[in-house]
Amino acid sequence: MEIIFYHPTFDTPYWIAELSKKLPGANIRAWVRGDNAPADYALVWHPPVEMLQGRTLKAVFALGAGVDSILSKLKAHPEMLPLSIPLFRLEDTGMGIQMQEYAVSQVLHWFRRFDDYQAQQRESLWQPLEDYTHDAFTVGIMGAGVLGSKVAESLLAWGFPVRVWSRSRKAWPQVTSFAGEGELSAFLSGTRVLINLLPNTAETAGIIKAPLLAQLQDNSYVLNLARGVHVVEEDLLAALDSGKLKAAMLDVFSREPLPAESPLWRHPRVTMTPHVAAVTRPQEAIAYIARTITQLERGETPGGQVDRVRGY
């Protein structure tokens, strides 16, 4: 079995060594330009077109939860990866618990009014504030995939009403599910904290814009954990300045690193992190990849395959 590996920032020798332990019969090599030798599987992140083009592969694995970088290249170079070759993504591999930690910590931060107390501290103001109540602090999650389900589960444990909006209706205990464009307004009107975990598709790009934000409750919050292209940044800033939104927490941006001239850096009610909400954890990812390749070699149908028409 021949496996080629390419990631511009990962510790490639470490990944190859650990994968070799899990797949002792495989020959795993780092791909370099000019390597046209046969391969059965490709493990990639932002792969050059020539790495995949013309190969007869059994499967390709994206080394992350998102596959938009590969799908965007396929629009310009459809010959890079024929539809007959399965594309897999890392469904969880440790990302679920990281998303839970991030979402719960931020929702609790807003719920306990720590942002307001921080503002008072800057003014040397000692003033206890009225508590928020759980029943008036509904959390709405856009995107009900693996990560969305994990975040919903963790917030329920803290007593928050939770709702989700997705392409298809979900039957999750204690979670109110909304589906499709026709139910988006109803989903938004009852949401106090909007968490974005949507996949990056043509339909979802730019979805968080002025008309959507206007349907949220006044003094709502936005937490973007998916992709920067989902948010129209000018509209988000306008909603913050008007008071429609009370605060926003952003982990992802349309341009990364975020340019120094972006007003998001300086807005008093925007908090940000540098795309660290959930990162690939090598041991979990390696175990998943090895298990999935083993299943494929046995002729089984493992989970995690991307529907390239839907984009996730």
Side-chain angles (χ1 to χ4, degrees):
M1 184 194 309
E2 297 289 331
I3 301 175
I4 48 177
F5 182 97
Y6 175 85
H7 196 295
T9 61
F10 278 2
D11 182 346
T12 297
Y14 170 82
W15 275 74
I16 290 177
E18 293 301 308
L19 281 162
S20 297
K21 293 176 185 177
K22 297 286 188 182
L23 295 167
N27 177 38
I28 307 169
R29 67 184 189 272
W31 180 86
V32 295
R33 292 191 183 277
D35 177 356
N36 297 314
D40 299 296
Y41 298 95
L43 317 181
V44 302
W45 189 249
H46 293 281
V49 173
E50 66 180 280
M51 179 184 180
L52 302 178
Q53 191 170 12
R55 292 188 180 275
T56 303
L57 297 163
K58 295 180 180 179
V60 172
F61 290 82
L63 296 172
V67 292
D68 38 298
S69 67
I70 294 177
L71 296 181
S72 63
K73 282 192 177 182
L74 282 171
K75 290 180 181 178
H77 303 278
E79 74 283 357
M80 183 177 82
L81 193 64
L83 279 170
S84 58
I85 299 176
L87 174 62
F88 290 86
R89 62 185 178 90
L90 305 183
E91 280 196 311
D92 187 341
T93 61
M95 295 182 190
I97 191 169
Q98 293 177 75
M99 283 295 189
Q100 288 178 324
E101 293 164 348
Y102 197 113
V104 168
S105 65
Q106 188 56 42
V107 171
L108 288 174
H109 181 88
W110 287 327
F111 179 68
R112 291 300 307 270
R113 305 196 66 172
F114 292 150
D115 55 334
D116 293 320
Y117 286 121
Q118 287 172 340
Q120 288 189 171
Q121 180 182 345
R122 290 191 289 271
E123 301 296 326
S124 302
L125 179 62
W126 182 283
Q127 177 62 56
L129 300 171
E130 183 179 356
D131 290 341
Y132 291 144
T133 61
H134 286 85
D135 59 357
F137 217 78
T138 296
V139 180
I141 303 170
M142 298 178 72
V146 173
L147 298 180
S149 68
K150 293 286 188 181
V151 170
E153 175 187 335
S154 64
L155 289 166
L156 286 171
W158 285 93
F160 293 105
V162 177
R163 52 178 53 195
V164 296
W165 179 76
S166 55
R167 180 192 294 266
S168 59
R169 198 174 309 283
K170 307 301 178 185
W172 296 350
Q174 300 179 290
V175 175
T176 305
S177 178
F178 297 81
E181 187 68 27
E183 296 185 1
L184 180 57
S185 294
F187 164 81
L188 294 167
S189 65
T191 292
R192 182 70 184 278
V193 179
L194 181 67
I195 300 179
N196 178 38
L197 282 167
L198 287 168
N200 180 15
T201 68
E203 292 77 19
T204 63
I207 190 171
I208 301 177
K209 54 188 176 181
L212 181 146
L213 296 170
Q215 297 178 71
L216 292 169
Q217 296 181 17
D218 290 341
N219 292 310
S220 290
Y221 304 87
V222 169
L223 175 57
N224 188 17
L225 300 176
R227 286 290 184 269
V229 296
H230 289 136
V231 176
V232 178
E233 293 175 358
E234 295 82 0
D235 291 0
L236 180 75
L237 288 165
L240 287 163
D241 290 338
S242 71
K244 180 65 179 180
L245 292 182
K246 188 172 182 184
M249 179 76 181
L250 309 173
D251 182 59
V252 287
F253 305 88
S254 296
R255 292 177 60 193
E256 296 182 359
L258 185 66
E261 65 271 17
S262 171
L264 291 169
W265 285 109
R266 297 174 292 280
H267 199 285
R269 286 183 285 130
V270 172
T271 308
M272 62 181 69
T273 49
H275 205 149
V276 295
V279 298
T280 301
R281 288 180 170 169
Q283 285 301 322
E284 288 91 337
I286 288 166
Y288 164 77
I289 292 167
R291 182 172 62 252
T292 303
I293 288 177
T294 299
Q295 290 176 304
L296 290 168
E297 288 293 298
R298 291 173 179 165
E300 300 172 5
T301 305
Q305 184 171 343
V306 174
D307 182 328
R308 286 161 61 178
V309 175
R310 290 187 174 183
Y312 58 91

